[in-house]
Amino acid sequence: MKNALNRYVPEGYVPFESASAYKNKERKLIAPKKTSEGYETLGSISDMFDRLQIKDGMTLSFHHHLRNGDFVLNMVCEEIKRRGLKNMKLAPSSVFPGNAILAELIENENVTKLYTDYVNGPVADAICAGKLKELCEMHTHGGRPMAIESGALHIDVAVLGVPAVDKKGNGSGFSGQSACGSLGYAVSDLTYADKVVFVTDNIVDRIDNPQLDGKYVDYVLKVPAIGDPSGIVSGTTKITKDPVGLKIARNAAQLLDEIGLIKDGMSMQTGAGGTSLAVAYYVRNRMLEKGVKGSFASGGITGYFTDMLEEGLLDELYDVQCFDLKAVQSIGRNAAHHAMSGSKYANPFDDNVVDKLDFVILGATEIDLDFNVNVTTDSHGKIMGGSGGHSDTAHGAKVTVITTNLVKSRMPIIKEHVTTVTTPGEDVDVLVTERGIAINPRRTDLLEKLRNSRLPICTIEELLETAYGITGRPEKPAVTDVPVGVVVYRDGTVIDTIYKTK
Amino acid sequence: MPGNNPAMLQNSDVFDCDAVIYDLEDAVSVTEKDAARTLVAQFLSAMKKQPPMEIVVRINGLDTEYWEKDLEAVVSDKIDSIMLPKAQVRYLKQLDEALSEIERKKGMKKHVAVLPIIELAASVMEIDDIVKAPRVNGVLLGAEDLSSDLEVARTKKGNEILYPRMKLAYACAAYKIDSIDTPFTDTNDNEGLADDCAFAANLGFTSKAAIHPNQVPVINSVFVPTAKNIEWALRVEEATRINAEKGLGVFSLDGKMVDKPVMERARKILVKARKYNLIQEDKQ
């Protein structure tokens, strides 16, 4: 079966129609889990498996706020391996190279199904090599809570690493040796999983305004450490010094100004990459020059945005995940720095934040002539990431800007057709590269606003020819026709299929 | 751009500068000289589109064993200028002869220009003749080597190079060629760079060399006309046209007299503004 973008959809999945098709559907909500009468304490991970009767075929979920420093998913994987459990289904919101043990479990069929929003490293390699028995389902950050609340992704046990847990079972990420800030991606798991376990290394007397409500918690397990602080936040995130990245960022900020988006009350989101942060830097400079005050920034929050909040350039921050230490420190200190859930962030059926964004700055590993963007696989078809909030913010924001080098590692970033569609071109408005800026022809309003611009505006076809002039025409990626995963759009439909690599 | 760095060469045409200097001299170690020469030559020959900037190659000095091989490899219709380090009149003559011979041998249509670098005290004393030498269409001040020749410390303020700066700016203005100020070497100090650019521009320099692409926007912001100046020049241009129809060669604008020198200043601003596409024109 093919979907509206002419991409193959495996049997049993609903094909993608359009980015707005969800508007014709009703929100489906299963009943939240029954609230507990207090929690019980567990002695060890092994004790958790015994007491919760974790057995073959069950679905366990995790959040990824401890990022590459996470010990919790790894501890559970070790126990699955020790017990020789089979056909387990895991639903971590993201998977990092530090979770290499999961690749071993996949190879040995201890784990046969994976639901995640982002995966790179050895686990991605194992999936691409065809070792995962069932298709890997790659959600978006907004699609995952939608899948959980609707029952499409049923969780038997949510095993959630929590940096601080109080005596009532409330949880927070703001403090403790493993502080990571907002725990936004854990909220749906907490609310809808059959059983919830908090794994912590820090029990405190009381947490005021906890992000995770203790009433949903069944068990608390204290361990020496839930993560390695050096891997939890990437330290200080910095704007790029690469002159090509800076040129792209300058032009992106100039474009945002010319289309009238740098104005009082503006709202914005950027990623934490060096070029995205550089866009934030140049936007901030424009705001200062023009005396503009923005309403909010959202998404994964970095120190750049907390500085803007503290300088009075932004009224509020809506934070689903802290990207650096400065953001972690800010969220515990600034009342206007709000932690939000993944659902509040981007669930298409929630009153979400992404729909209120004026603009978002996103990256791309590939973009094609229809403006479809791939951030899931590389140009060899190998998984190296995933949507995260890419397609959620692209749909919600009034203007979606992709910033990328035209050529990376001798490969043109523009393709006639992307290897894998993560975000549909209908939601992508502008591509800014170092050799020109292409506007999606659907956005006649933007083209009109930029009619007299001195920015290097051209068509995406012209940019493709420029790229080919540098690199020549690359060969198509060597993948098989054996599906290993599906890219699940935020409304639960399948936007593309990922294939086993050769 | 160091001539032996492929990634830098690949992106050398994207930085909105007027010219890129591909370097075979100081940025390239002795063991890399041949690799850089080959890479720059291959890169230029593979260049399919006319780049948006002038192409300059800095060869090794004529007191080295490399310069003839450098010229042989890189001189072609693809380049605009050869940059000559430690320039002196005798070297410029020798370079002109060598270039003429290569142009003849290769059947080139283009007459390659020369950009001498003033980086010896002896060169400073010869500036008046250097600007008149064949093929010279601009001169670059190289203050690092110059201060080393003088055995004085380089400072951010640059008092030690005030004399050569002024001498070079005047000589170039007299012969209507580009005067290119010495690079500002602290790549992390954009404020210092902007101040240094403004100082050089006030001395009469027409441009400044960058040692890092991130310096280009700052340099451009100083050396291109400001929006306010462009607006003033456009008004002078319009008023000149209207008054010329009435037969008036001198008139008053905003209470100030506009005569030939003022009109000429406005004209020069607009030439530059149009060159850099700084005048908003409605595109239908």
Side-chain angles (χ1 to χ4, degrees):
Chain A
M1 189 179 3
K2 295 277 178 83
N3 65 20
L5 300 177
N6 206 29
R7 301 278 168 155
Y8 171 73
V9 177
E11 195 69 36
Y13 290 96
V14 181
F16 170 83
E17 287 175 46
S18 80
S20 302
Y22 73 92
K23 289 178 181 164
N24 301 321
K25 294 176 189 166
E26 289 287 313
R27 185 176 192 178
K28 195 179 159 198
L29 287 171
I30 58 171
K33 80 184 285 274
K34 235 169 108 181
T35 56
S36 62
E37 305 284 326
Y39 62 84
E40 292 177 41
T41 304
L42 296 169
S44 64
I45 289 281
S46 179
D47 186 27
M48 176 181 92
F49 274 66
D50 289 339
R51 302 260 294 272
L52 277 91
Q53 296 174 26
I54 295 172
K55 56 181 190 289
D56 292 352
M58 274 188 158
T59 301
L60 312 182
S61 84
F62 310 83
H63 67 69
H64 71 279
H65 289 282
L66 304 170
R67 299 167 69 85
N68 208 33
D70 179 38
F71 290 163
V72 178
L73 173 57
N74 293 353
M75 286 191 280
V76 171
C77 284
E78 289 284 0
E79 190 61 22
I80 290 172
K81 182 181 164 187
R82 198 180 69 78
R83 290 175 179 244
L85 296 180
K86 290 287 178 187
N87 299 323
M88 299 298 292
K89 300 174 172 69
L90 299 194
S93 51
S94 293
V95 179
F96 290 93
N99 305 125
I101 184 176
L102 179 52
E104 195 188 323
L105 298 196
I106 287 170
E107 185 144 17
N108 296 331
E109 295 189 6
N110 303 105
V111 172
T112 51
K113 180 88 186 171
L114 202 59
Y115 308 88
T116 190
D117 306 352
Y118 177 100
V119 53
N120 72 14
V123 176
D125 296 346
I127 297 164
C128 292
K131 290 176 178 167
L132 186 67
K133 202 170 165 191
E134 296 178 51
L135 296 179
C136 174
E137 295 187 17
M138 297 199 62
H139 293 274
T140 73
H141 282 337
R144 183 176 189 273
M146 193 279 289
I148 293 170
E149 71 177 23
S150 68
L153 171 51
H154 171 258
I155 299 166
D156 292 303
V157 182
V159 188
L160 306 175
V162 184
V165 176
D166 74 9
K167 294 199 168 149
K168 288 184 177 169
N170 297 309
S172 165
F174 297 2
S175 61
Q177 65 184 49
S178 306
C180 59
S182 177
L183 293 169
Y185 298 125
V187 176
S188 294
D189 307 52
L190 172 75
T191 317
Y192 292 101
D194 288 352
K195 294 287 176 194
V196 174
V197 180
F198 278 178
V199 183
T200 187
D201 48 22
N202 177 35
I203 296 196
V204 297
D205 287 340
R206 186 182 149 167
I207 297 170
D208 292 325
N209 301 316
Q211 191 178 10
L212 305 183
D213 192 332
K215 72 181 182 183
Y216 295 112
V217 182
D218 302 288
Y219 298 93
V220 172
L221 167 61
K222 187 160 189 274
V223 294
I226 59 170
D228 170 9
S230 68
I232 292 173
V233 283
S234 47
T236 309
T237 41
K238 283 192 173 152
I239 69 167
T240 184
K241 284 190 171 177
D242 168 43
V244 175
L246 287 175
K247 177 180 176 178
I248 294 167
R250 267 194 309 275
N251 280 353
Q254 171 75 21
L255 178 129
L256 292 167
D257 198 9
E258 289 188 22
I259 59 181
L261 290 179
I262 301 184
K263 59 175 194 296
D264 278 331
M266 61 183 267
S267 53
M268 63 193 281
Q269 183 168 330
T270 75
T275 302
S276 295
L277 287 178
V279 179
Y281 167 78
Y282 288 118
V283 166
R284 172 187 168 275
N285 288 353
R286 288 291 161 104
M287 291 171 78
L288 286 168
E289 280 163 27
K290 299 174 77 165
V292 159
K293 191 175 183 192
S295 56
F296 73 87
S298 62
I301 295 296
T302 63
Y304 272 87
F305 286 113
T306 63
D307 283 349
M308 287 172 76
L309 178 75
E310 288 174 4
E311 286 176 304
L313 286 174
L314 291 168
D315 289 333
E316 289 172 297
L317 298 178
Y318 289 99
D319 188 340
V320 71
Q321 173 186 18
C322 295
F323 275 139
D324 60 21
L325 285 169
K326 247 179 140 171
V328 174
Q329 288 157 1
S330 162
I331 201 167
R333 182 177 70 219
N334 287 309
H337 185 164
H338 312 285
M340 68 174 164
S341 69
S343 183
K344 181 75 185 165
Y345 170 41
N347 179 348
F349 293 105
D350 207 336
D351 175 25
N352 64 50
V353 166
V354 294
D355 281 353
K356 299 173 183 74
L357 280 169
D358 285 331
F359 65 87
V360 62
I361 309 294
L362 296 168
T365 49
E366 295 179 332
I367 180 165
D368 67 21
L369 296 178
D370 296 320
F371 286 80
N372 296 312
V373 171
N374 175 17
V375 289
T376 303
T377 58
D378 64 17
S379 293
H380 303 289
K382 207 174 122 185
I383 300 171
M384 41 57 65
S387 175
H390 199 284
S391 35
D392 299 307
T393 49
H395 182 71
K398 291 186 187 74
V399 175
T400 297
V401 179
I402 304 291
T403 55
T404 177
N405 294 42
L406 185 62
V407 173
K408 280 184 199 164
S409 306
R410 297 176 291 123
M411 293 291 283
I413 296 305
I414 304 179
K415 311 279 173 185
E416 282 161 47
H417 303 285
V418 288
T419 308
T420 309
V421 182
T422 312
T423 296
E426 65 180 286
D427 280 341
V428 175
D429 304 311
V430 181
L431 167 65
V432 182
T433 75
E434 73 280 21
R435 291 175 189 276
I437 296 173
I439 312 290
N440 191 331
R442 291 165 180 261
R443 292 303 301 261
T444 50
D445 57 328
L446 299 183
L447 285 164
E448 176 56 27
K449 281 180 180 163
L450 294 164
R451 189 162 54 109
N452 294 323
S453 173
R454 288 193 291 270
L455 287 166
I457 290 166
C458 55
T459 65
I460 197 163
E461 288 80 6
E462 286 168 334
L463 280 178
L464 177 66
E465 284 310 311
T466 303
Y468 282 169
I470 297 167
T471 63
R473 279 173 190 264
E475 285 179 20
K476 291 206 164 153
V479 291
T480 65
D481 57 2
V482 180
V484 294
V486 285
V487 182
V488 182
Y489 189 63
R490 61 201 298 256
D491 63 357
T493 63
V494 167
I495 194 165
D496 209 346
T497 298
I498 305 164
Y499 298 92
K500 184 179 169 184
T501 49
K502 279 185 178 165
Chain B
M1 299 269 172
N4 59 339
N5 186 322
M8 284 192 184
L9 295 190
Q10 182 185 294
N11 287 319
S12 59
D13 59 340
V14 304
F15 298 115
D16 303 324
C17 49
D18 295 303
V20 168
I21 305 161
Y22 298 104
D23 190 20
L24 305 180
E25 198 219 9
D26 281 356
V28 178
S29 67
V30 171
T31 54
E32 290 281 303
K33 292 288 183 196
D34 53 345
R37 190 184 294 136
T38 306
L39 184 64
V40 170
Q42 292 292 323
F43 170 72
L44 294 173
S45 72
M47 199 180 265
K48 288 181 188 141
K49 270 169 63 176
Q50 178 68 32
M53 75 287 173
E54 288 181 24
I55 292 181
V56 181
V57 180
R58 180 162 79 166
I59 59 167
N60 288 282
L62 266 60
D63 56 345
T64 70
E65 60 187 282
Y66 309 115
W67 70 277
E68 284 172 299
K69 283 184 186 164
D70 291 346
L71 285 185
E72 199 58 50
V74 303
V75 172
S76 76
D77 285 326
K78 293 277 176 78
I79 71 165
D80 297 289
S81 307
I82 288 292
M83 180 167 272
L84 176 66
K86 298 187 171 60
Q88 289 190 260
V89 173
R90 62 192 167 106
Y91 289 145
L92 285 165
K93 206 172 154 218
Q94 205 179 340
L95 178 59
D96 174 47
E97 285 162 10
L99 284 171
S100 297
E101 178 59 19
I102 292 170
E103 285 167 349
R104 191 191 58 74
K105 234 170 46 186
K106 293 190 176 178
M108 287 169 55
K109 295 175 204 123
K110 205 175 208 170
H111 195 57
V112 173
V114 170
L115 284 169
I117 314 180
I118 305 298
E119 51 190 343
L120 294 171
S123 311
V124 176
M125 302 320 292
E126 289 185 351
I127 282 180
D128 295 346
D129 294 320
I130 285 173
V131 294
K132 289 186 278 186
R135 298 173 185 265
V136 171
N137 67 354
V139 179
L140 168 68
L141 181 65
E144 301 309 311
D145 279 311
L146 183 57
S147 49
S148 160
D149 196 27
L150 282 173
E151 296 185 31
V152 295
R154 269 291 277 137
T155 64
K156 275 196 179 176
K157 204 170 174 197
N159 283 345
E160 68 284 359
I161 56 163
L162 187 57
Y163 172 68
R165 267 181 155 171
M166 294 176 83
K167 191 163 167 63
L168 194 154
Y170 270 77
C172 290
Y175 287 88
K176 305 216 176 319
I177 61 173
D178 291 331
S179 48
I180 310 163
D181 189 34
T182 189
F184 185 77
T185 53
D186 186 347
T187 54
N188 293 318
D189 181 7
N190 277 351
E191 272 183 38
L193 171 63
D195 290 346
D196 199 44
C197 288
F199 184 70
N202 281 334
L203 290 179
F205 276 90
T206 58
S207 49
K208 188 171 181 73
I211 54 158
H212 192 282
N214 288 347
Q215 294 184 324
V216 173
V218 179
I219 295 173
N220 283 348
S221 71
V222 175
F223 283 94
V224 299
T226 62
K228 200 175 160 192
N229 283 345
I230 294 169
E231 191 201 336
W232 170 81
L234 283 168
R235 290 177 60 234
V236 171
E237 185 183 58
E238 178 65 5
T240 303
R241 190 186 60 74
I242 292 166
N243 283 287
E245 283 169 9
K246 296 179 198 160
L248 295 174
V250 179
F251 56 89
S252 169
L253 183 69
D254 303 332
K256 287 181 184 160
M257 187 179 77
V258 176
D259 57 4
K260 207 173 163 199
V262 177
M263 290 175 206
E264 185 58 15
R265 187 146 54 89
R267 191 189 65 79
K268 281 182 179 171
I269 288 171
L270 293 178
V271 165
K272 217 182 246 185
R274 289 192 170 110
K275 180 180 172 188
Y276 294 107
N277 192 24
L278 298 175
I279 300 176
Q280 192 90 20
E281 273 153 339
D282 193 41
K283 295 175 200 161
Q284 288 303 322

